[in-house]
Amino acid sequence: DIVHVADFDYEVAGAKLLGRDIVQQASPEALAAIRDVLGREVQDSALAAAATRESGDTESMANYLSAIREELGRAPQSYS
């Protein structure tokens, strides 16, 4: 389902897969904490800016963090 989108992007797909892995491995408490942290970071872009200090591509990093967060909100059984 990740590759069957009109605007397919390998990096975003990788971020989504990471999010799915986190959902399957994390406890409910850890998952809630990760969602909370990513929610704040996606809004203020501090993590994106720190992660892209060399490249300066904070917009792409913010997109990756958003993709991870999006997958954290999905139930594992909804993956196709």
Side-chain angles (χ1 to χ4, degrees), residues 52-74:
T52 59
R53 193 167 304 160
E54 295 293 319
S55 70
D57 190 5
T58 56
E59 182 178 346
S60 291
M61 183 57 69
N63 287 337
Y64 306 150
L65 294 173
S66 292
I68 294 168
R69 185 167 182 257
E70 177 184 315
E71 292 302 317
L72 295 180
R74 295 180 64 189

Side-chain angles (χ1 to χ4, degrees), residues 1-78:
D1 66 306
I2 292 175
V3 299
H4 295 107
V5 294
D7 58 345
F8 176 74
D9 179 282
Y10 283 100
E11 286 82 13
V12 172
K16 286 178 176 265
L17 290 173
L18 176 60
R20 290 182 182 190
D21 287 346
I22 292 169
V23 166
Q24 293 182 3
Q25 299 295 318
S27 69
E29 296 82 13
L31 195 54
I34 294 166
R35 281 188 192 118
D36 184 50
V37 168
L38 282 180
R40 287 192 312 267
E41 295 299 337
V42 166
Q43 288 179 358
D44 71 17
S45 299
L47 181 59
T52 59
R53 193 167 304 160
E54 295 293 319
S55 70
D57 190 5
T58 56
E59 182 178 346
S60 291
M61 183 57 69
N63 287 337
Y64 306 150
L65 294 173
S66 292
I68 294 168
R69 185 167 182 257
E70 177 184 315
E71 292 302 317
L72 295 180
R74 295 180 64 189
Q77 62 273 19
S78 68

